[in-house]
Every structure is written in structure tokens, then in C-alpha cells.
Amino acid sequence: MTALAGLWSRRDAASETTVGRMLDAQAAFGPDAAIRRTLDSATLGRRLYALVPEDDFDRGPVLGSDDTLLLAADARIDNRDEIAAMLGLSSAELARMAEPQLVMAVVERWGIAGLARVVGAFAVILWDRRRQALTLARDPMGERPLFYHRGDGFVAAASMPRGLHAHPDIPYAPSTTATADFLAVLPEGEESFFAGIARVRPGHAVTIDADGLTETRLWTPVRTVLRLKPADYAEGLRAELDRAVAVRLRRHHGAVGAHLSAGLDSASVAATAARMMASEPLHAFTAVPGPGAPAPAGAIADEGPIAARVAAMHANIVHVRVQGDGRSPLPLLDRHFDLYQRPVMNPCNAIWAETINDAARSRGVSVLLTGQLGNFTLSHDGIPHLAQLLGAGRLVALARLARQLRTRGWRRRRIGAAMLGPFLSPAAWSWLTDRFGRSLALHSYSALRQDAIADLDARAAMTGTDLSYRPWRDGRAMRLWGLDRVDMGSYNKGTLAGWGIDLRDPTADRRLIEWALSVPDEQYILGGEPRSLARRAFADRLPPELVGEQRRGYQAADWHIGVSGALGEMVAELDGIERCRPGEALVDVAQLRALVRDWPDFAAGDPRWNQPAIVDRYRSMLLRGVAAGHFLRRAARTN
């Protein structure tokens, strides 16, 4: 992973000094010496963090064969052999070719659209002297971050906002629009969390020239539907995950680790990696809460025992249980700001995630596998199939599926919601959830002020965004929408800077996603068993206790313990947010103060901590609101 910086100046010659400052500001993300190269009025540079063997051949920004193109890339190409074959490169040539050189070869052959052929993680800055155009591009899942600013007579780009803020003409202030969307749990837009700084959206290319800005989508999965035998779907999913894991084991140095929970996604990834690494250990990390932590009905608080059964099936898994110690998330907020340059969605989960990072670093792990996008690929539950059957008038099949779900403990209300919800208006769905279920209205879980909520509602109406969160009828569309919400680039970059660990998610593999999207929803809920396909596919490498488990893991079940002991710090943080103009204007500080004042006096193991109203108000509204307010305060440079 590499820290990038680029500057195109239309006013005067590009300044290598300024690009040097931009790179130095990102030194934590790339410890090697900065290398810069200038072509005409543009300067590109990089600071390398070697993560794959071919990084030994990286010599910095790459000049094209006819001296008209200059490229800097932060990349890990997972289909190197395939790309080399398309380009006619020999295996000897490929072995000594760094990732940026291979990206340049792709661009010279097929243009920027050729990046659609590249599988892996990448962020690219390309200067075209002939066209006088700067193009910025990212991989489909946004595994590498890239930001830019259009100024008066110049365009600057960098891997992280701190690189752009090293430019003297780029302002330093928070974006209240992006933060409002964050507090409403909406997909991120083009604007970053800093005013005046835009992010290149995952799977897109942005080209800036004298005529303005053009954005193009590099990746759009083709809508295809597989028609296979049930056993062949399982075999296909196994093959896709095997390939996705295998290409992510390539590394420059260090050991490999993996998250390992009681869920299908991380367990399947860890078990698959262990099978492929039979000659070396796989360090598998399971976060477990402190003793007596409660979990909601139908959930697992302590995932350690089932994770241990996975480890026991694979002799080379070194299983590490990371136990919660009742820490407060508040002391982590400054670290989050410095590393990720954005607010963290779930501060409580950050505690166990960072504890795992600490444990992984102590064991020499340089690559840590995750299963974060598994819900959209491996373990999609197939629930939209209920509405599909109703819409198609297949009432006999619908009745059979409903009966099967009932035998697995599903309540009629839940089945009815999944079946009828997509056909209701947003207003009708909101009324029903408020009256009979768990309210999804913003004021029930968001720390936004009422006037900010009204503004958000107005913007949602203009863009057609459905804030009622109705169930979906089209499982493919639902998953694509969910994937568009994901941008892990800043988290990945921050984890590398903070711990020297490269997070890699095989469930985010583009080829795996495309294959999973082509599987009919009925295969994911075959026989009335949600996530049926993953259960069938990985039964050979996971214990039956996990394959048959219907409950979900409840992360950070001890979330309330650390906060209960830090209410004074919480009040002090709210004081700071209130003194910050953007924070006071956006965050309902008065409501958050009331929540602190009325903090429940339940015992640590009291199941009432898991009441939906308690979770929504305290775990979501209060903690997420404080995280956002802290970010606004730091970005506004308010004490």
C-alpha cells in the first residue's frame, strides 16, 4: 500500500516542493522515501509501503513509453497472470514488473477503461500531457482511498485528506453534509468528511481537464442468472472463495492472520486460508466480551466456543481469543481522527477491532483477512425471494416457503413484513414499523438536530432516497445498494499506518461478487433455510455447530461497561462539541446530555441493556453522535 500525491497547476510550473510536503504529511501511510516525477505541468509522487513481492521493483511514478503519460499507483493486482497474458508479457517480464508498471501497461493498451480488466485493490493518478488531463481512479470496492481538490488554477490529489491539507491553498474544515449523512447512516456521497475535498467513488474514474470534470463508472456487473443444479451452486461458491483467498495470501513479508467469529463469513475465509497454508500457521483472532455480558434473544454474545471448534478442525490455526476489558471508546476518538480522517460508525466495535490489531501485530502478522462483505456475497440470506414469489403470483411456492420458515421459528409478522413490505409505500411502511415494530425514524436512533433532519428529508426527497428502509424485492439490487454504501479505503489505510497490517477481504473480491449476484435468490434460502448456499458450500470445512447455527453474533456485547465508567468524560466531550460551531449546529447536544444524565443503572449483565430502545438511544444515538461531534470539533480545530 502506497501514499500517493499529485498536483497539476495551470497557473505555473508544478511544484515538486509542494508535492513533497503532501507526501511527507502522509509518511505514516508510506514509510519509504518519497519519490516524485514531473511531466510538463504535473508532478506525481509516492511513498511506498511494501506489501507484495513485486514492490521490490517499484521505482516510483511511471513514465509512459512515448513520454506523454505519467502514472502513480497504490495497487495490489490479483489477476497479474491474466493481465500479462492479455498484454503478451512473458513470465520473466512479469516477475520483475511492479504493480504501477503493470497498471501503466494496461492504460497504454486500453486507456483508463482498461482498469475494468484489473482485479484487485488500486488507486491510480494518471497525467496525460497530450490531453492536459488528470484522471483519478479506484477499484470497485474502494479498498484503496483517493481524494482530490479542485482549486483556483490547480488540481491536487492524495491518498488521504491530510496530504491535501499540506497544500497551502486548500482549506481545513469539516463537511457538515457528509457528517449529517453519516449520522443518518446514508451512503457516502462525492464529498469527503472535509469541506472542499472530494473522494473518488469506488469503481469510478474522475477526469479533470480544461473543460471541467467527467466521472465514469469503471465497473458495472452484468445482470446474468445462473441455472445450475443445487450441488453445482455450492461447488461454484467454494471455487470462487478459494480463488479469492488464494490471491490475497501473496505478501512481501510477515505472517497471515484472520478474523474468526461464529459467523459463516469470517469462519469460511479463515478455514479456507488454513487449508491453503497447511505448511505455515494461520493466526485466527476471536473477539469475546467480558464475563457475563448479555446478548439479545437469538444472538451470541461469546463467539469463542464455536470459533474454537473451527480452529480445532485445522491443525495449523493458532487460535487467539481477545477478551474485552471494559474500556471506554472515548480515548480512541483522537486516534481515529488521526488514522482514518473520518468518524467511526461503531466506536464500541472499534475497541475489539483495535485489540485484535494489537494482538496480530505482536505475532508478526502483516496481512489480516476479514469477511466484512460476506453478507452481500457468501451468506446472503435470500429473504427478498418471498416478495419475488408474491410479485410473480407463485402463491403455492410462497406458501411452501412460508411454512418452511415457520418450522425454523420465524414469526408470521416477520414473514409478512418480508413478503409485503416491498409493495407498501414508504409512508405506510414507516407507520407500521412505528406502531408494531422497531421505529426506523431518524429521531429514534440519530443524534441529528431536528432542523438537520428536516434538511436531510428534503435532500432525500430530491434524490429519491427511501429513508423508510422498506424490505427489498430484488435481492441483487439490494446487495448492489449495500455495496455502494461501503468504502473501506480510509479504514484500510489507517490500519496499515497504525499497526502495519494490510486488511484484505476475500468476500470483497470482484469476481466473487459478480458470481454471487448471478445466483438466484431461491438458492440462498433453499428449503426455507436463510443463508442456505453458504451452509451447503462450506459444510466440509466448518463444524456442524456453526453450519447449523441460526443465531447471529452480537459484537461488543459488553459495550455499556466501558461507557458506564466514563460518563464524566462523555460530558466533557459534549461540552467541547457544543463549543464547536459545526458540532452545535448539527448534533443535538441537549438530547445527548439528557441521555448521559439518564444513563441506566442496570447491572452489567442485565438483559435490559439489549432492549431495542436502549440500544438505539445509547449505543447508536449517543456513541455515534459523540464520535461525529468529536470529528467535527477536531476538523474545525476547536478545543
Side-chain angles (χ1 to χ4, degrees):
M1 196 178 292
T2 301
L4 304 180
L7 177 61
W8 169 34
S9 176
R10 297 191 293 271
R11 297 179 302 191
D12 45 39
S15 170
E16 290 201 4
T17 300
T18 301
V19 172
R21 286 199 299 264
M22 294 167 66
L23 290 170
D24 289 345
Q26 301 177 92
F29 309 112
D32 283 12
I35 298 180
R36 295 159 294 179
R37 195 161 191 170
T38 298
L39 178 63
D40 192 30
S41 56
T43 296
L44 307 186
R46 70 99 171 108
R47 295 185 68 116
L48 180 67
Y49 201 128
L51 295 177
V52 294
E54 294 78 12
D55 283 339
D56 287 340
F57 305 107
D58 189 314
R59 301 294 179 262
V62 179
L63 186 65
S65 57
D66 62 357
D67 295 344
T68 63
L69 297 177
L70 182 64
L71 178 145
D74 173 13
R76 185 200 73 242
I77 302 176
D78 293 335
N79 62 335
R80 285 174 59 91
D81 291 342
E82 178 184 331
I83 293 295
M86 295 179 193
L87 293 169
L89 298 172
S90 69
S91 57
E93 290 174 308
L94 181 64
R96 300 182 63 83
M97 184 173 283
E99 309 292 58
Q101 292 176 283
L102 193 53
V103 173
M104 174 62 90
V106 167
V107 171
E108 287 194 305
R109 174 70 63 88
W110 297 293
I112 202 69
L115 293 178
R117 301 170 184 258
V118 175
V119 176
F122 61 81
V124 174
I125 305 177
L126 175 70
W127 166 245
D128 187 330
R129 181 175 65 176
R130 183 182 294 113
R131 294 176 54 210
Q132 291 288 290
L134 189 71
T135 297
L136 315 171
R138 292 178 69 195
D139 65 86
M141 292 300 104
E143 294 185 75
R144 297 289 193 266
L146 191 58
F147 299 87
Y148 65 96
H149 171 85
R150 299 169 68 193
D152 182 14
F154 74 94
V155 179
S159 292
M160 294 291 278
R162 69 166 60 175
L164 293 170
H165 285 141
H167 191 293
D169 295 333
I170 296 179
Y172 196 110
S175 165
T176 54
T177 300
T179 309
D181 289 350
F182 167 85
L183 285 170
V185 201
L186 292 178
E188 295 178 31
E190 180 185 352
E191 188 173 15
S192 77
F193 286 92
F194 288 92
I197 293 179
R199 69 176 186 125
V200 180
R201 294 193 295 163
H204 285 73
V206 173
T207 298
I208 305 167
D209 57 21
D211 296 326
L213 180 150
T214 303
E215 183 184 51
T216 57
R217 181 180 282 274
L218 294 174
W219 176 72
T220 301
V222 177
R223 180 180 280 274
T224 58
V225 180
L226 293 173
R227 298 299 181 191
L228 307 173
K229 297 177 181 178
D232 292 337
Y233 287 111
E235 178 61 33
L237 184 58
R238 278 193 298 273
E240 291 296 332
L241 182 62
D242 286 348
R243 177 170 60 177
V245 170
V247 297
R248 283 164 176 78
L249 297 178
R250 181 170 61 107
R251 61 196 184 278
H252 184 272
H253 61 274
V256 176
H259 283 198
L260 175 58
S261 71
L264 285 163
D265 302 323
S266 66
S268 297
V269 168
T272 300
R275 288 159 62 100
M276 294 177 175
M277 298 171 57
S279 61
E280 60 179 312
L282 173 73
H283 303 268
F285 303 91
T286 304
V288 298
I300 306 171
D302 184 355
E303 302 183 68
I306 292 181
R309 292 286 297 122
V310 178
M313 291 183 65
H314 305 276
N316 61 326
I317 289 184
V318 179
H319 190 210
V320 182
R321 288 168 52 101
V322 177
Q323 187 161 9
D325 56 7
R327 282 188 293 162
S328 164
L330 296 184
L332 301 180
L333 296 179
D334 279 325
R335 181 178 178 85
H336 293 166
F337 182 89
D338 294 332
L339 289 179
Y340 311 124
Q341 299 219 269
R342 53 161 297 148
V344 170
M345 182 65 70
N346 295 302
C348 293
N349 288 355
I351 295 176
W352 64 256
E354 296 197 5
T355 305
I356 284 178
N357 291 343
D358 290 339
R361 179 174 58 183
S362 72
R363 287 163 174 77
V365 169
S366 63
V367 169
L368 187 60
L369 304 177
T370 72
Q372 291 169 302
L373 296 190
N375 287 342
F376 304 109
T377 52
L378 300 186
S379 63
H380 173 51
D381 58 21
I383 300 303
H385 190 52
L386 284 159
Q388 292 168 8
L389 292 174
L390 179 61
R394 297 176 58 191
L395 302 184
V396 173
L398 175 60
R400 181 171 59 250
L401 179 56
R403 284 196 303 270
Q404 292 168 336
L405 288 169
R406 286 284 292 156
T407 63
R408 296 183 184 276
W410 276 51
R411 299 172 61 190
R412 290 188 176 88
R413 181 181 295 180
R414 185 180 181 187
I415 296 171
M419 180 174 59
L420 299 171
F423 300 97
L424 300 177
S425 69
W429 176 253
S430 296
W431 181 86
L432 285 171
T433 54
D434 286 347
R435 184 174 178 85
F436 299 108
R438 186 175 186 175
S439 175
L440 300 177
L442 277 175
H443 62 78
S444 66
Y445 64 87
S446 174
L448 284 168
R449 290 168 55 98
Q450 286 302 311
D451 51 351
I453 290 177
D455 178 67
L456 195 72
D457 287 338
R459 287 196 289 115
M462 291 177 61
T463 59
T465 302
D466 181 5
L467 294 178
S468 71
Y469 295 103
R470 291 173 298 168
W472 289 73
R473 176 179 177 181
D474 186 337
R476 182 180 188 276
M478 178 190 73
R479 286 180 282 167
L480 285 173
W481 181 82
L483 290 169
D484 276 344
R485 293 164 60 95
V486 176
D487 189 340
M488 296 302 298
S490 294
Y491 292 117
N492 292 347
K493 190 70 76 174
T495 301
L496 184 69
W499 292 271
I501 293 172
D502 187 16
L503 295 177
R504 300 181 183 178
D505 184 0
T507 66
D509 186 273
R510 193 192 82 187
R511 294 171 295 193
L512 172 59
I513 292 171
E514 290 171 344
W515 189 90
L517 290 173
S518 69
V519 174
D521 271 345
E522 63 186 20
Q523 287 299 317
Y524 290 102
I525 196 170
L526 198 66
E529 184 175 41
R531 302 189 292 281
S532 167
L533 181 53
R535 299 181 197 278
R536 288 179 278 140
F538 305 114
D540 65 328
R541 56 191 74 170
L542 298 175
E545 297 96 320
L546 191 153
V547 173
E549 181 60 72
Q550 300 297 318
R551 298 171 298 169
R552 287 186 178 271
Y554 185 61
Q555 297 171 329
D558 53 358
W559 65 272
H560 52 282
I561 296 175
V563 182
S564 296
L567 296 180
E569 299 171 49
M570 187 77 73
V571 171
E573 184 62 48
L574 292 173
D575 290 342
I577 295 170
E578 197 165 39
R579 290 193 299 269
C580 165
R581 180 172 297 179
E584 191 276 335
L586 196 64
V587 179
D588 192 340
V589 176
Q591 185 174 15
L592 298 188
R593 287 190 190 279
L595 290 176
V596 174
R597 186 174 58 249
D598 299 333
W599 184 262
D601 59 357
F602 309 149
D606 194 316
R608 286 179 292 176
W609 283 112
N610 296 313
Q611 293 174 346
I614 294 293
V615 172
D616 288 345
R617 287 199 296 266
Y618 290 95
R619 183 165 178 165
S620 297
M621 183 186 295
L622 177 60
L623 293 179
R624 189 172 297 149
V626 167
H630 181 90
F631 174 85
L632 291 168
R633 181 171 66 80
R634 285 288 307 274
R637 292 178 168 170
T638 302
N639 292 329

